[in-house]
Amino acid sequence: MINSLFLISHSGDIFLEKHWKSVISRSVCDYFLEAKEKAGDPENVAPVLQTPHHYLISIYRGKLFFLSVTQTEVPPLFVIEFLHRVADTFQDYFGDCSEVVIKENTVTVYELLEEMLDNGFPLATESNVLKEMIRPPTILRSVVNTLTGGSNVGGTLPTGQLSNVPWRRAGVKYTNNEAYFDVIEEIDAILDKSGTTVFAEIQGVVEACVKLTGMPDLTLSFMNPRLLDDVSFHPCVRFKRWESERVLSFIPPDGNFRLMSYHVSSQNLVAIPVYVKQNISFLETGSCGRLDITIGPKQTMGKSVENLTVTIPMPKSVLSVNLTATQGTYTFDLTTKVVLWDVGKLNPQKLPNLRGSISIQTGSPKPEENPSINIGLQIQQLAISGLKVSRLDMYGEKYKPFKGVKYVTKAGKFQVRT
Amino acid sequence: MTDSKYFTTTKKGEIFELKAELNSDKKEKKKEAVKKVIASMTVGKDVSALFPDVVNCMQTDNLELKKLVYLYLMNYAKSQPDMAIMAVNTFVKDCEDPNPLIRALAVRTMGCIRVDKITEYLCEPLRKCLKDEDPYVRKTAAVCVAKLHDINAQLVEDQGFLDTLKDLISDSNPMVVANAVAALSEIAESHPNSNLLDLNPQTINKLLTALNECTEWGQIFILDCLANYTPRDDRESQSICERVTPRLSHANSAVVLSAVKVLMKFMEMLPKDLDYYGTLLKKLAPPLVTLLSAEPELQYVALRNINLIVQRRPEILKHEMKVFFVKYNDPIYVKLEKLDIMIRLASQANIAQVLAELKEYATEVDVDFVRKAVRAIGRCAIKVEQSAERCVSTLLDLIQTKVNYVVQEAIVVIKDIFRKYPNKYESVIATLCENLDSLDEPEARAAMIWIVGEYAERIDNADELLESFLEGFHDESTQVQLQLLTAIVKLFLKKPTETQELVQQVLSLATQDSDNPDLRDRGYIYWRLLSTDPVAAKEVVLAEKPLISEETDLIEPTLLEELICHIGTLASVYHKPPSAFVEGSRGVQHKRLPGSAGSGESVESPDTGSAAGVSDAPPAVIPSQGDLLGDLLNLDLTPPATTGPPPPATSGMQLGAMDLLGGGLDSLVRFRRPVWLPAMKGKGLEISGTFARRAGVIQMEMTLTNKAMSVMTDFAIQFNRNSFGLAPAGPLQVLTPLSPNQSIEVTLPLNTVGPVMKMDPLNNLQVAVKNNIDVFYFSCQYPISMLFVEDGKMERQVFLATWKDISNDNEAQFQIKDCHLNAASNKLQGSNIFTIAKRTVDGQDMLYQSTKLSNGIWVLAELRVQTGNPTFTVSLAQQTVWSNHCSDCAANY
């Protein structure tokens, strides 16, 4: 199982280590640092590395490497999932998961890691269980603690940890009982030069924010559950009910959680909300090129497209760009060579256009690669797959909660080839 | 306020100041001080000098302070073992605390103090905690057993903790079950033969129940444990599959992949015509696709596993090609894996799409990726014949881009396409030749030279082209030099008139000016060939070449089967069996897929089922005495798997010899096994071996040693017809490729149902062994005693009657010296020669014996021993004329 964890900064500085079994010298990280050096871009470091005596399994999040060391054969996915959970927990506790924040909260971090793993076996990874044992730092609490000598470690047995519903603690109380669900869909798509869809799918999630007193038992049903043939649920969802009746029946965790994620891949169901007319070309001679991009609405179901952005990573030999945008503003990052065009809201009457010239380092040959155009966008009050919640019922408690459902569609990995 | 304040230092010396604070009377000050100590510890500062002061803070009611002190203890106990003993009392006391959280915390911390001296004190509290009324404490204690085992395995066994742990598998709380399974699995890894996780239908049922209720991590442990079980029949297999399938919808990808492993394995047992089988296949695709929308690290592991799944069961994902299309911002390691799977899934139905994608990738930024994409186009051409033409034109388009590395890759793959489809696409050669000058990589140069040589008759200026390469002959890599030599010889054979000078030049370069033995030898061979018999040379050099095979990078089927059993583990990421890289894994057992229960599947090797069955049987640690003696009688001295108890102290020549050899047996084994196939004759493969009869099965035990420089694979064995119809009962089990200087022990079970032909000598056996290099023949002799069957004891009456019936022609008599009667009787029985009766006549001991050969022939014997004279007289009688030979073999005893 997991022996040790090292936190390594973007620049290769090992700033925290934790061992759950015998101590492993941090020199083991040298293998990783070597691989990192070789990979260049930190995102390209292979997640599983083998050294003569250890296996190094790492993730890269928030400009930090979480590197775990194991000595025996373990399922790498188990380790990777766990590392992401650690990062999620830091995010949850400190509002951010960066080197600075972790250094500021070393003791809490250490206490958390100690609770999350025992002898390399995961112990408490549910955020509500952890929060009962180690309270998240808040300004108010640290002031109170210094005044009263209180501590941020709870003295009770985490009630949730052994009950049939380990994700929910007992005795939850709210004055306003509310349950909100956000259906968020991301479109992953690849469009080719001519605008035809090469590949498209929808990654959807239902995020919930449930603040209900007691032990409520909820049932969420959809207008068109047939859409969902590939789903992953939070452990609280009763799988049998889903199999037989296609409803989500569950006792919710307290607070924010991801109820379910799903995946719609059948091509005809994936609507592409915008089209992109583009032309990026480099001249054979004269070290310059031209760029012309126009974006227009395609299948938006009558909703407006907002927060439209266009990102184009230019070839390395590009020196500068001289462009004019009819709407929004654009920037060109000289080090990463990325053109970022922030369009804003898409106006169907007056289509936004970005055009102008690109200049290339004199003497360097015509770039070999074709830059790809990455689109970001958001459509409020629409789930592009057509998924709709029909009703939410609550059993087990007497009060009437406030209920709400929100839909939003975003572009995920949405790219247009040139 | 943040913890960074703990890092501020003062001039006076940090340690000194902390010491003062730790000994302060004020609780709050103490706690702050401990926090500072912990903070220093986390950044790697040495604060071990404060050990006594920190331990003094341990006895407190403040839980946070207690926890912090525990943290410190765990870190430094090892370096200060004597001090750590001071903490023991507090632990023992805390294990009795009314608060279960404190009890659990104490038992958890105890196990992390890796000091031998302390562990003994911890056994009693641990025992109590394992039976604690609170499940939280029990589940913590279960993990503690694994910790303790890591520190002192013997202690854990002596204290009976393993049994307690096994009992916890039946605990009422699912989390306790999960942790017990996790702990046992970890312990079992260091004890491969311990049979700790003894899985039977009852325990399986308990695990399946716990599976539904425990945490995601617990589910992973339970699923991985389930995967080691072999169901009794297809119905049990189906019912387990049904209960595992809901896990495919779990949000935790590790749970999903572990469930996939269980399903992939148990599916093997389901009959293919079963409806459920089809349903299951359909259910497997969506979760695998979903894994690809997770974080890139998860995607990578998922892709490596999908690569295996696609090779084993391509039908699962055959419609999901598009999810493997590469996205611009995928990390490079994900891109390369996706590309590999795309080619595996490529078929006639989707080839157009795949080719369009690959062409797109060939204009990407990353050089490695572009190269692989170009290569992939070539692989598509070779895999899907209908697409070959389109692939070639795509490659030509890419060559037109003139991007240097693209051109070079394209030429390398076009060479392979020529080898697969000769005389079809040679029209493109002209285009290739245009790019000759831009090639600077050896592989591309060699490929181009090969093409020029192979098609020299169609290239007008082939001689000029090759000559241009020849100028810098000595600067080329060996690969190019060899290729150039061959190409020029080919050219000469095709156009002898104008290229005589060129061939002279290259031959002298290769033979006289080169230090490379391969090059020199090849040069000489060509030279001799050309000078002695140009016609023969033509036949040899321009011989028709076999077409290259379809897919060259498939994982070998037996390895693939093993890897399927390891889905989700590191083995599946490396595509190597765990034995190849897990440290200290001497005992890692090779896992095999269970045999299919339905009608015989052609995919499976015929013995898969039985192999799985054998591995399930508890390994016989102590061999029966008969086996041991049987071996001795064969003068083979092969000890069975483990050294058994010393044989009973009977005297006798062989036993004496064994005593002399004493414990050195093991080292002698290999030495004593006769070499059947010397490495000289076997192109580096050496085979030595013996025969034995174990538990009624005739076995051929061989040691294969690779003394060549290259890896050997694809072993197979066959026997010629022989006197007793011996034939292999299964294929030769060489699972992994045999690397140079490696040897492997193989046991081949034999049966006697093969074709019969009388050999001379009778026990001669001609064997053919094949590997990737060649086929080799050798012959060896087996002891007849191997064929003596277990039911060779004849009824007394029958014996008498038969003895009389046999004519004197079929009798033989001879003498053996230096034997004792009882010992002889025992020994003979060990090799299935049974004593029917014993009489004493005229001061002579008479022993009547019978034995039966595997082909049903009975051999009867009379042993006469003069009392006081250790000489035997043996009379043998037999129903057939083979008695002479049998008497020979009896004489061996």
Side-chain angles (χ1 to χ4, degrees):
Chain A
M1 293 292 126
I2 302 168
N3 273 57
S4 306
L5 173 74
F6 293 93
L7 296 188
I8 302 175
S9 75
H10 182 60
S11 56
D13 176 28
I14 307 165
F15 65 92
L16 191 132
E17 57 185 285
K18 164 83 187 136
H19 306 274
W20 285 276
K21 292 185 171 185
S22 49
V23 176
I24 292 172
S25 157
R26 58 165 69 186
S27 63
V28 75
C29 298
D30 293 349
Y31 294 100
F32 174 79
L33 295 175
E34 204 177 290
K36 173 177 171 285
E37 209 55 46
K38 229 193 226 165
D41 191 352
E43 271 158 25
N44 283 341
V45 186
V48 184
L49 296 171
Q50 189 183 358
T51 78
H53 302 284
H54 303 94
Y55 307 102
L56 308 179
I57 301 177
S58 62
I59 63 164
Y60 181 65
R61 265 189 59 172
K63 303 215 164 169
L64 288 182
F65 290 102
F66 290 70
L67 175 74
S68 72
V69 184
T70 77
Q71 274 176 310
T72 48
E73 165 75 86
V74 289
L77 274 189
F78 161 96
V79 181
I80 295 173
E81 279 278 0
F82 176 79
L83 292 177
H84 277 293
R85 208 59 62 85
V86 170
D88 290 342
T89 309
F90 291 168
Q91 181 90 34
D92 191 23
Y93 264 70
F94 315 124
D96 189 12
C97 176
S98 66
E99 187 179 348
V100 180
V101 164
I102 290 173
K103 275 186 175 164
E104 274 177 4
N105 296 287
T106 331
V107 176
T108 316
V109 164
Y110 223 69
E111 287 172 341
L112 278 173
L113 292 175
E114 189 57 38
E115 285 304 333
M116 291 182 81
L117 219 55
D118 179 19
N119 194 38
F121 299 119
L123 191 61
T125 51
E126 287 284 341
S127 115
N128 70 319
V129 174
L130 281 170
K131 280 185 178 160
E132 257 182 281
M133 293 192 285
I134 302 159
R135 295 190 197 105
T138 60
I139 294 172
L140 182 67
R141 186 164 299 129
S142 54
V143 172
V144 171
N145 280 355
T146 25
L147 290 177
T148 62
S151 87
N152 63 344
V153 170
T156 49
L157 183 66
T159 45
Q161 205 157 27
L162 284 161
S163 71
N164 279 335
V165 276
W167 53 86
R168 188 176 180 89
R169 67 193 160 97
V172 183
K173 268 210 175 83
Y174 287 100
T175 38
N176 290 327
N177 289 297
E178 39 193 27
Y180 299 113
F181 295 89
D182 291 354
V183 180
I184 303 163
E185 294 194 339
E186 290 194 353
I187 310 168
D188 286 354
I190 303 174
L191 307 184
D192 71 6
K193 252 177 239 165
S194 60
T196 29
T197 312
V198 175
F199 159 82
E201 64 179 14
I202 296 169
Q203 310 287 353
V205 291
V206 178
E207 297 279 3
C209 174
V210 178
K211 293 180 175 172
L212 297 173
T213 307
M215 273 288 167
D217 197 331
L218 303 180
T219 308
L220 185 74
S221 49
F222 297 98
M223 306 273 263
N224 38 7
R226 278 179 188 288
L227 275 175
L228 306 171
D229 61 341
D230 181 5
V231 280
S232 317
F233 296 119
H234 188 278
C236 68
V237 176
R238 296 181 181 101
F239 190 73
K240 282 234 168 75
R241 286 280 305 271
W242 171 257
E243 284 273 270
S244 56
E245 301 166 49
R246 298 272 144 180
V247 294
L248 298 181
S249 157
F250 57 99
I251 295 173
D254 185 37
N256 295 310
F257 65 101
R258 174 170 293 182
L259 179 62
M260 134 175 136
S261 55
Y262 58 93
H263 180 234
V264 179
S265 55
S266 27
Q267 211 93 132
N268 44 9
L269 287 174
V270 185
I272 303 292
V274 293
Y275 69 84
V276 180
K277 256 172 56 187
Q278 44 81 20
N279 180 26
I280 302 177
S281 58
F282 299 100
L283 296 180
E284 229 26 271
T285 51
S287 42
C288 65
R290 296 217 39 91
L291 179 148
D292 189 344
I293 299 174
T294 310
I295 301 181
K298 205 171 169 187
Q299 294 161 284
T300 57
M301 323 284 171
K303 309 275 185 196
S304 65
V305 178
E306 292 163 13
N307 296 350
L308 188 63
T309 57
V310 177
T311 317
I312 315 162
M314 286 290 176
K316 294 288 169 235
S317 56
V318 169
L319 263 188
S320 65
V321 293
N322 183 13
L323 308 170
T324 337
T326 59
Q327 185 186 338
T329 52
Y330 86 92
T331 54
F332 177 66
D333 189 318
L334 285 172
T335 47
T336 57
K337 314 279 185 192
V338 172
V339 174
L340 175 66
W341 178 24
D342 189 349
V343 186
K345 196 169 165 180
L346 180 67
N347 180 356
Q349 268 71 53
K350 191 170 167 293
L351 299 181
N353 170 273
L354 181 73
R355 77 169 85 192
S357 62
I358 307 166
S359 54
I360 303 170
Q361 221 155 7
T362 36
S364 59
K366 180 185 166 215
E368 281 150 10
E369 74 263 24
N370 303 329
S372 92
I373 302 174
N374 300 290
I375 306 287
L377 58 84
Q378 206 166 13
I379 306 171
Q380 297 293 343
Q381 289 314 315
L382 171 72
I384 198 101
S385 68
L387 188 73
K388 271 216 166 69
V389 172
S390 77
R391 57 183 298 153
L392 176 73
D393 299 304
M394 188 182 75
Y395 305 93
E397 296 289 337
K398 295 242 153 53
Y399 56 84
K400 265 198 109 165
F402 294 107
K403 299 180 276 192
V405 180
K406 244 174 42 186
Y407 301 92
V408 64
T409 295
K410 296 175 183 171
K413 289 179 175 171
F414 192 111
Q415 67 176 70
V416 183
R417 291 175 176 161
T418 61
Chain B
M1 274 229 198
T2 63
D3 293 343
S4 52
K5 67 183 171 192
Y6 300 123
F7 292 115
T8 51
T9 49
T10 55
K11 282 176 196 160
K12 252 191 161 184
E14 206 179 2
I15 299 285
F16 179 81
E17 201 143 281
L18 282 173
K19 210 177 179 85
E21 283 176 37
L22 283 171
N23 291 316
S24 154
D25 298 333
K26 283 185 192 154
K27 235 187 188 175
E28 193 46 37
K29 201 151 197 192
K30 256 189 184 178
K31 199 173 80 185
E32 285 297 297
V34 176
K35 277 195 172 183
K36 280 184 202 167
V37 173
I38 302 281
S40 309
M41 186 177 86
T42 54
V43 292
K45 278 186 200 161
D46 183 17
V47 283
S48 58
L50 296 166
F51 201 92
D53 308 282
V54 176
V55 170
N56 272 339
C57 303
M58 193 170 157
Q59 291 199 1
T60 169
D61 300 331
N62 184 314
L63 194 68
E64 188 184 16
L65 189 53
K66 202 182 250 313
K67 275 191 173 176
L68 292 172
V69 175
Y70 277 176
L71 270 179
Y72 179 88
L73 260 180
M74 283 186 252
N75 217 3
Y76 283 118
K78 186 114 192 174
S79 55
Q80 310 262 333
D82 296 325
M83 299 274 201
I85 292 208
M86 302 195 312
V88 165
N89 270 335
T90 321
F91 282 133
V92 175
K93 222 171 94 198
D94 282 354
C95 283
E96 309 269 336
D97 198 280
N99 184 343
L101 185 63
I102 296 203
R103 292 204 296 276
L105 184 62
V107 80
R108 215 175 102 198
T109 315
M110 265 164 34
C112 298
I113 297 183
R114 308 178 58 86
V115 179
D116 246 344
K117 269 189 226 167
I118 294 191
T119 44
E120 302 164 29
Y121 296 100
L122 304 179
C123 291
E124 276 321 301
L126 175 58
R127 197 186 313 283
K128 255 182 227 157
C129 288
L130 279 168
K131 301 222 155 89
D132 199 286
E133 51 172 20
D134 193 299
Y136 183 65
V137 181
R138 287 204 300 277
K139 92 174 183 139
T140 315
V143 174
C144 189
V145 176
K147 294 182 193 171
L148 207 57
H149 186 272
D150 194 31
I151 304 166
N152 189 342
Q154 197 55 46
L155 185 73
V156 170
E157 271 168 58
D158 294 347
Q159 296 277 338
F161 285 141
L162 293 183
D163 291 324
T164 324
L165 207 50
K166 280 189 210 166
D167 293 342
L168 287 184
I169 292 188
S170 318
D171 198 279
S172 57
N173 186 291
M175 266 323 293
V176 179
V177 177
N179 272 17
V181 169
L184 281 172
S185 307
E186 188 173 82
I187 295 172
E189 219 171 289
S190 52
H191 268 244
N193 294 322
S194 55
N195 226 11
L196 274 178
L197 280 162
D198 181 25
L199 297 173
N200 55 47
Q202 283 76 40
T203 45
I204 290 292
N205 203 21
K206 277 177 189 138
L207 291 181
L208 285 168
T209 315
L211 181 64
N212 288 327
E213 291 164 21
C214 66
T215 66
E216 48 198 314
W217 313 110
Q219 294 183 10
I220 301 171
F221 298 134
I222 292 182
L223 286 168
D224 284 347
C225 175
L226 277 177
N228 291 328
Y229 177 64
T230 310
R232 288 161 306 171
D233 50 32
D234 53 327
R235 280 176 61 195
E236 189 184 10
S237 190
Q238 178 175 350
S239 92
I240 296 177
C241 286
E242 278 166 0
R243 292 175 73 177
V244 166
T245 357
R247 298 300 123 209
L248 291 175
S249 300
H250 202 285
N252 186 320
S253 58
V255 175
V256 175
L257 203 56
S258 289
V260 169
K261 163 163 60 185
V262 174
L263 295 175
M264 281 293 287
K265 190 176 168 192
F266 289 5
M267 239 168 115
E268 298 287 333
M269 291 190 68
L270 298 179
K272 296 241 165 23
D273 43 1
L274 197 69
D275 286 346
Y276 181 70
Y277 178 84
T279 324
L280 197 55
L281 270 184
K282 271 193 209 110
K283 278 191 176 161
L284 276 170
L288 289 173
V289 171
T290 304
L291 289 178
L292 297 181
S293 51
E295 287 84 356
E297 299 93 358
L298 296 169
Q299 277 187 48
Y300 171 71
V301 177
L303 285 165
R304 292 292 284 173
N305 281 288
I306 288 174
N307 201 327
L308 296 175
I309 293 170
V310 163
Q311 287 185 58
R312 177 79 192 165
R313 295 197 180 276
E315 64 270 33
I316 294 178
L317 287 169
K318 66 178 173 202
H319 298 304
E320 305 290 345
M321 173 61 96
K322 285 193 173 176
V323 297
F324 299 103
F325 284 1
V326 172
K327 291 182 188 118
Y328 174 78
N329 33 11
D330 284 334
I332 179 74
Y333 55 83
V334 169
K335 286 183 178 175
L336 296 176
E337 285 307 316
K338 280 187 173 175
L339 200 53
D340 211 42
I341 295 173
M342 278 173 66
I343 301 164
R344 294 204 192 286
L345 286 177
S347 67
Q348 204 184 338
N350 55 23
I351 193 76
Q353 262 181 343
V354 174
L355 268 182
E357 278 296 302
L358 291 176
K359 198 174 170 185
E360 201 65 52
Y361 303 159
T363 61
E364 275 245 22
V365 193
D366 192 289
V367 177
D368 281 344
F369 180 59
V370 172
R371 281 174 182 276
K372 198 159 179 181
V374 176
R375 216 159 260 229
I377 297 177
R379 276 170 67 187
C380 282
I382 291 164
K383 190 173 175 196
V384 186
E385 187 167 355
Q386 294 81 355
S387 75
E389 189 150 358
R390 218 174 316 168
C391 292
V392 171
S393 76
T394 309
L395 287 169
L396 282 181
D397 288 351
L398 289 172
I399 289 177
Q400 298 304 348
T401 63
K402 303 276 179 200
V403 179
N404 186 285
Y405 50 84
V406 174
V407 174
Q408 311 214 33
E409 281 304 322
I411 287 182
V412 173
V413 294
I414 285 181
K415 178 201 71 178
D416 286 341
I417 295 177
F418 284 169
R419 287 171 63 197
K420 170 80 183 177
Y421 309 110
N423 303 320
K424 235 177 157 178
Y425 302 109
E426 281 72 12
S427 54
V428 307
I429 291 177
T431 323
L432 302 186
C433 290
E434 286 165 20
N435 293 285
L436 213 59
D437 300 331
S438 63
L439 308 179
D440 53 10
E441 287 162 25
E443 204 182 351
R445 286 173 83 86
M448 191 65 221
I449 293 170
W450 183 87
I451 293 172
V452 174
E454 189 68 19
Y455 299 102
E457 68 274 23
R458 306 186 199 190
I459 305 171
D460 294 335
N461 58 344
D463 48 342
E464 283 168 35
L465 293 176
L466 292 176
E467 200 170 355
S468 69
F469 281 105
L470 206 55
E471 280 159 20
F473 190 76
H474 288 298
D475 303 327
E476 299 284 1
S477 72
T478 316
Q479 192 184 7
V480 181
Q481 290 176 334
L482 286 169
Q483 208 52 258
L484 194 53
L485 173 62
T486 310
I488 292 180
V489 172
K490 281 183 193 162
L491 173 68
F492 171 70
L493 289 167
K494 286 174 179 171
K495 300 179 181 173
T497 45
E498 51 244 74
T499 55
Q500 207 145 11
E501 205 173 308
L502 196 61
V503 83
Q504 288 285 351
Q505 205 183 338
V506 76
L507 286 175
S508 80
L509 277 172
T511 53
Q512 285 160 25
D513 302 344
S514 170
D515 301 333
N516 185 321
D518 283 346
L519 184 63
R520 222 170 36 212
D521 288 355
R522 197 186 283 190
Y524 277 124
I525 289 170
Y526 282 143
W527 204 323
R528 298 275 144 79
L529 258 176
L530 292 173
S531 56
T532 46
D533 187 354
V535 181
K538 209 162 189 168
E539 268 167 30
V540 171
V541 180
L542 302 180
E544 201 162 305
K545 282 163 245 358
L547 300 184
I548 58 171
S549 68
E550 212 160 81
E551 272 182 278
T552 43
D553 58 339
L554 284 178
I555 296 176
E556 199 206 337
T558 41
L559 177 60
L560 180 63
E561 274 189 26
E562 190 180 350
L563 289 177
I564 289 285
C565 296
H566 287 284
I567 283 178
T569 66
L570 287 165
S572 70
V573 174
Y574 293 124
H575 290 185
K576 285 183 207 161
S579 51
F581 63 93
V582 174
E583 261 195 11
S585 65
R586 57 202 144 69
V588 169
Q589 284 178 352
H590 288 276
K591 293 186 185 171
R592 300 289 306 269
L593 289 173
S596 135
S599 48
E601 291 303 328
S602 56
V603 200
E604 308 264 343
S605 52
D607 66 324
T608 330
S610 66
V614 168
S615 65
D616 281 340
V621 178
I622 300 171
S624 65
Q625 212 190 74
D627 286 351
L628 198 61
L629 287 167
D631 279 335
L632 287 174
L633 286 164
N634 287 343
L635 270 177
D636 171 18
L637 295 179
T638 313
T642 48
T643 328
T650 46
S651 55
M653 184 175 75
Q654 289 85 359
L655 296 185
M658 177 164 175
D659 285 341
L660 285 175
L661 293 166
L665 274 180
D666 279 25
S667 56
L668 279 168
V669 176
R670 230 160 264 172
F671 174 68
R672 292 295 294 254
R673 276 192 181 174
V675 175
W676 287 338
L677 178 71
M680 295 266 290
K681 285 190 184 169
K683 297 195 180 166
L685 175 68
E686 187 186 80
I687 302 178
S688 57
T690 56
F691 293 90
R693 184 182 188 92
R694 296 191 200 281
V697 179
I698 306 170
Q699 290 179 341
M700 187 167 175
E701 295 170 338
M702 286 179 285
T703 310
L704 307 183
T705 311
N706 181 353
K707 295 195 169 171
M709 301 303 287
S710 58
V711 177
M712 293 180 178
T713 54
D714 309 322
F715 286 95
I717 193 164
Q718 258 188 346
F719 292 173
N720 196 358
R721 288 194 283 178
N722 55 66
S723 317
F724 291 95
L726 281 176
L732 199 57
Q733 294 291 335
V734 184
L735 294 177
T736 46
L738 197 58
S739 39
N741 284 324
Q742 194 195 347
S743 43
I744 187 171
E745 302 280 328
V746 192
T747 303
L748 181 72
L750 307 181
N751 58 31
T752 52
V753 296
V756 178
M757 182 172 82
K758 192 181 169 190
M759 302 293 292
D760 189 26
L762 202 58
N763 57 345
N764 196 22
L765 181 65
Q766 294 178 337
V767 183
V769 169
K770 193 188 89 162
N771 65 9
N772 58 334
I773 297 170
D774 206 340
V775 184
F776 311 106
Y777 303 93
F778 60 84
S779 65
C780 52
Q781 295 185 359
Y782 48 89
I784 284 286
S785 65
M786 189 180 87
L787 300 167
F788 294 171
V789 295
E790 274 74 9
D791 60 348
K793 187 160 187 164
M794 211 178 230
E795 288 294 329
R796 260 166 197 250
Q797 303 304 323
V798 186
F799 183 87
L800 270 174
T802 324
W803 185 265
K804 282 178 190 153
D805 279 350
I806 296 171
S807 71
N808 284 344
D809 295 345
N810 283 358
E811 261 188 62
Q813 242 188 45
F814 46 91
Q815 294 197 329
I816 304 171
K817 289 183 177 154
D818 293 330
C819 260
H820 286 273
L821 196 59
N822 284 335
S825 172
N826 282 341
K827 240 188 300 171
L828 291 172
Q829 179 137 9
S831 51
N832 293 335
I833 301 175
F834 298 88
T835 306
I836 308 298
K838 198 171 138 186
R839 278 194 295 191
T840 311
V841 182
D842 305 336
Q844 286 184 335
D845 280 331
M846 312 282 277
L847 213 56
Y848 294 94
Q849 292 175 309
S850 74
T851 190
K852 189 179 154 193
L853 287 166
S854 59
N855 53 1
I857 294 171
W858 287 91
V859 181
L860 311 179
E862 178 195 62
L863 266 78
R864 226 176 321 158
V865 188
Q866 201 85 41
T867 319
N869 176 2
T871 303
F872 276 30
T873 306
V874 181
S875 306
L876 275 176
Q878 208 182 21
Q879 285 156 318
T880 68
V881 283
W882 288 359
S883 65
N884 273 340
H885 183 77
C886 290
S887 58
D888 285 352
C889 84
N892 286 334
Y893 304 135

